[in-house]
Amino acid sequence: MSLIVQKYGGTSVGSPERIENVAGKAAAFRAQGHDVVVVVSAMSGETNRLVALAGAIDDQPDSRELDVLLSTGEQVTIALLAMALKKRGVAARSFTGGQVHIRTDSAHNKARIVDIDKQRVSAALAAGEVVVVAGFQGVDDSGNITTLGRGGSDTTAVALAAALSADECQIYTDVDGVYTTDPRVVPEARRLDRITFEEMLEMASLGSKVLQIRAVEFAGKYDVPLRVLSSFEEGEGTLITYEEEGMEQALISGIAFNRDEAKLTVLGVPDHPGVAHRILGPVGAANIEVDMIIQNVGADGTTDFTFTVHRNDFVRAREVLDSVAAELGARQVDGDDKIVKVSLVGVGMRSHAGIASRMFEILADEGINIRMISTSEIKVSVVIDEKYLELGVRALHTGFELAQEAGTNI
Ligand code: ADP
Ligand code: ASP
Ligand code: MG
């Protein structure tokens, strides 16, 4: 007998009918003799609704109370799913994150799981119950409810699978696997049978929201067999796996993009040691995360300094920069929050030159101006204007022949 952890996302539990569908799937696994733990998200749209409600009270709501509010979304779904299972005659029991001792740090709204005391879940499984757990939430050492950041139910599922040494962690969602890029933007995107942890981690961190980045980190670290599948169709989905020796690696496995970016430039900064620190120090102190950074070659004793932040932090970052720029005697602060980041990802890139220049050529042929560039061993990222996102991603997908099985020619 094996132990399976399944996670169903918001769309998959978006209506009573869909919750019944999930109950049917979980019950079928149980009937085959598996132990089953089911992690569920809030019904689709619910977390956004709760965020908006909080915003109607306070545009900077207290983070502890926001977690109390947000965690209710998942609590609704666990109860409904457990009811649907019991109605079918399947023994089941719902638990909040706190009830199954998902212990986190105290970083409200973006807490990290520290450990899981598996006693409670194991006891329920031993009693023959399907265990239904609220995703996205935990509890800190002082008993406060915490949440794990958007998309956090993925991480709950993987962490439970790791703690319980599950045979597989199945992430059921509204697409039937991980694709070469978001199939909503490129309809001819191709489902991948397998993708390495390393590539999935890169895709997730560069904006592919199909899996929360921490879920991929956890799965890689604790060796959890992880699969992404559709809630609505049968199929094998995509297995996230280790790089196998001798495995012919695709040059490029996918294209990720992130619409949540904004860019800021300080123009005419005096070009001496310590300037980067004097600009980014206050930004970091304001708890604003910086992504890409570029400093131009100095000319006439001054230079320009550009970096990107999350769009939600744009206005605050600009305020910080305005005062820094005045102190430094910089000429001007510029900003643009209508930009996006597009990235090519592939472990096969390690051994090939020329990917970046081919990427720039494809974008140039479409008349798309590149505003920033950053590269690493297994990715090339560019910042472009938001209005070119779809055009750029489609052109790259076609140009690198990602729709074809043997794609990746340059
Ligand atoms: P859930 O609510 O089930 O957690 P999400 O919306 O978080 O679902 O993630 C699934 C979505 O991820 C898909 O609907 C798809 O639009 C998007 N997505 C982005 N990049 C990819 C990709 N490379 N492969 C598959 N889906 C992707
Ligand atoms: N409900 C949360 C969100 O919408 C967590 C999740 O669905 O994974 O982000
Ligand atoms: Mg998700």
Side-chain angles (χ1 to χ4, degrees):
M1 192 157 79
S2 68
L3 169 59
I4 295 174
V5 176
Q6 307 187 318
K7 176 259 172 175
Y8 294 91
T11 315
S12 310
V13 294
S15 66
E17 296 71 32
R18 288 184 172 181
I19 290 174
E20 296 275 9
N21 172 53
V22 168
K25 288 175 79 84
F29 273 93
R30 183 74 195 111
Q32 288 164 16
H34 300 292
D35 280 342
V36 182
V37 175
V38 186
V39 174
V40 282
S41 290
M43 294 168 79
S44 55
E46 181 62 8
T47 308
N48 287 344
R49 187 183 75 87
L50 295 168
V51 168
L53 263 181
I57 298 287
D58 186 345
D59 57 10
Q60 302 278 339
D62 179 83
S63 61
R64 179 191 184 277
E65 304 313 329
L66 185 59
D67 278 349
V68 173
L69 178 71
L70 295 188
S71 66
T72 63
E74 273 70 12
Q75 192 168 338
V76 169
T77 337
I78 53 170
L80 293 174
L81 178 58
M83 284 175 199
L85 284 163
K86 290 181 194 189
K87 183 183 76 175
R88 285 174 159 70
V90 178
R93 194 189 295 239
S94 68
F95 295 98
T96 64
Q99 284 175 327
V100 287
H101 307 130
I102 297 184
R103 240 179 16 93
T104 71
D105 62 19
S106 301
H108 285 292
N109 315 153
K110 49 175 187 241
R112 283 177 180 269
I113 296 177
V114 178
D115 71 49
I116 297 180
D117 168 11
K118 60 181 187 187
Q119 297 304 332
R120 194 82 186 261
V121 177
S122 299
L125 288 174
E129 291 169 337
V130 170
V131 175
V132 182
V133 180
F136 177 57
Q137 55 181 262
V139 64
D140 74 3
D141 281 342
S142 314
N144 297 300
I145 295 173
T146 54
T147 65
L148 310 178
R150 299 306 302 264
S153 298
D154 297 336
T155 305
T156 305
V158 174
L160 275 167
L164 297 163
S165 307
D167 294 280
E168 188 162 282
C169 181
Q170 304 172 335
I171 306 288
Y172 287 93
T173 181
D174 54 5
V175 283
D176 64 349
V178 178
Y179 278 68
T180 46
T181 193
D182 189 339
R184 290 182 210 289
V185 169
V186 182
E188 57 281 2
R190 180 171 51 88
R191 184 179 59 77
L192 302 165
D193 291 330
R194 288 163 165 255
I195 184 169
T196 65
F197 282 111
E198 205 181 358
E199 287 168 318
M200 194 63 239
L201 207 55
E202 203 72 24
M203 293 276 280
S205 74
L206 294 168
S208 295
K209 288 178 183 144
V210 60
L211 283 175
Q212 199 196 34
I213 178 164
R214 284 191 201 151
V216 187
E217 272 167 13
F218 246 101
K221 187 163 165 197
Y222 296 102
D223 207 359
V224 177
L226 181 63
R227 195 181 283 279
V228 176
L229 314 115
S230 164
S231 299
F232 307 110
E233 295 163 35
E234 293 297 312
E236 292 294 299
T238 301
L239 182 68
I240 325 295
T241 174
Y242 291 104
E243 199 171 332
E244 285 161 26
E245 229 171 287
M247 189 163 137
E248 182 65 34
Q249 281 300 340
L251 214 48
I252 293 156
S253 48
I255 304 173
F257 51 82
N258 190 347
R259 303 177 198 261
D260 300 329
E261 304 255 336
K263 124 176 132 58
L264 292 139
T265 303
V266 193
L267 292 153
V269 196
D271 190 14
H272 17 84
V275 163
H277 175 64
R278 285 193 56 194
I279 295 174
L280 293 182
V283 174
N287 225 341
I288 298 171
E289 230 172 278
V290 170
D291 180 17
M292 283 161 104
I293 303 171
I294 291 183
Q295 185 184 315
N296 283 355
V297 177
D300 308 329
T302 68
T303 184
D304 302 334
F305 194 91
T306 304
F307 59 93
T308 61
V309 296
H310 193 285
R311 235 178 244 194
N312 291 346
D313 292 328
F314 179 64
V315 174
R316 259 183 340 117
R318 193 158 187 160
E319 284 164 11
V320 172
L321 280 194
D322 280 336
S323 61
V324 170
E327 275 169 37
L328 283 174
R331 195 168 69 243
Q332 195 187 327
V333 177
D334 255 359
D336 188 349
D337 65 348
K338 299 273 181 295
I339 53 134
V340 292
K341 182 167 70 176
V342 176
S343 310
L344 293 179
V345 175
V347 291
M349 267 186 220
R350 273 199 200 107
S351 47
H352 285 264
I355 307 276
S357 67
R358 175 79 182 113
M359 180 186 198
F360 306 155
E361 184 186 11
I362 292 169
L363 294 173
D365 286 347
E366 299 296 332
I368 299 173
N369 199 14
I370 298 170
R371 309 220 168 258
M372 296 172 83
I373 299 168
S374 121
T375 65
S376 79
E377 255 198 328
I378 66 163
K379 70 122 201 280
V380 186
S381 300
V382 295
V383 167
I384 59 174
D385 290 350
E386 179 183 72
K387 63 179 183 225
Y388 294 129
L389 173 72
E390 278 81 9
L391 177 65
V393 173
R394 284 180 197 143
L396 291 169
H397 200 271
T398 308
F400 283 101
E401 299 181 11
L402 297 186
Q404 285 91 28
E405 192 73 47
T408 69
N409 305 320
I410 55 167

